[in-house]
Each structure stands twice: as C-alpha cells, then as structure tokens.
Amino acid sequence: MSNPPLHALAYVSRISAPLSRAKLNEIVAGAIEFNGQNDLSGALIFDGTSFFQYIEGRESDLASAYERICASRSHVVLLELLNGAVPVRRFAGWEMFYAESAPSGIEGLNWLPGREPSDSARRDIVASSLRFFWQSFQEKQGVIDLA
C-alpha cells in the first residue's frame, strides 16, 4: 500500500494588531502541537508585520490546518501563494520551524485582492520566498548550502 500523496500550502498574511512575545510563542506552540498531531511539517517566518508559512502533509490534514489558519484572528489579508502536490517533504521532522527576521520583503508578497501578479510572476516570487525559508532553516541548523 502506498502513502497518500504529499501536498503543500504556502500563504502570506499581515498581523491584525501588534503581537506580544507571549502571543507569538502561543501561536508557534499551537502550530507545533496541531501539526504534530496531524503529521504536518513546515515553517513559519514572522518579520514583525507579516507571516509567511509553508506547510506540507496529506491533503486532508492540510485542509484542516488551513481552516484553522483562516479562522485565526492574529492575521488579516491572508493570500494563498501555493496549494498543490509536492514530491517530497522539505521540512521532514519539523512540526513547525519558526524564525523571526528583520523586515524582509515578506509584505511585498501580500498583494491586494485583484492586484495579484501573473501566474509566472507569482511562481517566481513564491520560489524565491521558499529559497529564503530554506536558507533560514539551514542557517538555524548550522548547515549552509546555498547551491
């Protein structure tokens, strides 16, 4: 019997109000717990104004996670960047990799409805954002391989 196909979801959103350290810790802890219970892995980056998240797992589990994410009052203007099949897990073993960054251009991904870039431009922006994710992840792990 084969494993169900993997899917991934990436989105960007703006915070709805300034977040305290305690609230950020609560958000990350909740994501780690939920993802661990649902065999999801992924990464979350917060730059002080915007979230960028990539999560991966079975499609049905991702749907449950996305419902939870959309219901959160911590953020607004949530825009889905990627939602589809992926060949492998990029964050295997990580219920939720979390990093904070200085303002990094994440807010540039947060397009106004009706003002989204073309599909090819969107793919390029998402790909560069995922490279940023992966680089941040590897740096945190002490593994630097930018090839």
Side-chain angles (χ1 to χ4, degrees):
M1 187 165 129
S2 66
N3 291 331
L6 288 171
H7 280 73
L9 168 71
Y11 73 88
V12 64
S13 64
R14 288 193 180 119
I15 60 172
S16 55
L19 296 174
S20 67
R21 170 66 48 201
K23 183 61 177 173
L24 280 170
N25 290 343
E26 180 184 315
I27 290 168
V28 174
I32 289 169
E33 180 179 356
F34 181 88
N35 290 357
Q37 293 170 352
N38 291 281
D39 194 28
L40 297 170
S41 52
L44 175 68
I45 294 180
F46 177 63
D47 74 352
T49 62
S50 299
F51 290 107
F52 181 71
Q53 185 171 13
Y54 172 89
I55 50 177
E56 57 198 7
R58 290 182 303 268
E59 187 174 18
S60 59
D61 295 326
L62 274 178
S64 296
Y66 196 48
E67 284 178 25
R68 183 175 182 265
I69 289 164
C70 289
S72 171
R73 295 177 186 215
S74 298
H75 56 171
V76 296
V77 193
L78 187 143
L79 292 173
E80 188 177 296
L81 303 172
L82 169 76
N83 190 347
V86 292
V88 296
R89 284 188 189 261
R90 300 294 294 200
F91 291 91
W94 281 87
E95 287 86 11
M96 184 53 61
F97 164 75
Y98 173 70
E100 291 181 32
S101 71
S104 58
I106 293 173
E107 72 280 354
L109 295 173
N110 208 235
W111 310 295
L112 295 172
R115 308 269 327 240
E116 299 92 349
S118 67
D119 285 343
S120 61
R122 184 185 299 220
R123 277 193 300 275
D124 291 346
I125 293 167
V126 170
S128 67
S129 298
L130 291 175
R131 278 193 296 277
F132 173 74
F133 253 18
W134 193 243
Q135 180 181 351
S136 298
F137 175 73
Q138 290 177 323
E139 287 172 356
K140 188 165 186 168
Q141 296 307 301
V143 178
I144 307 253
D145 178 11
L146 303 178

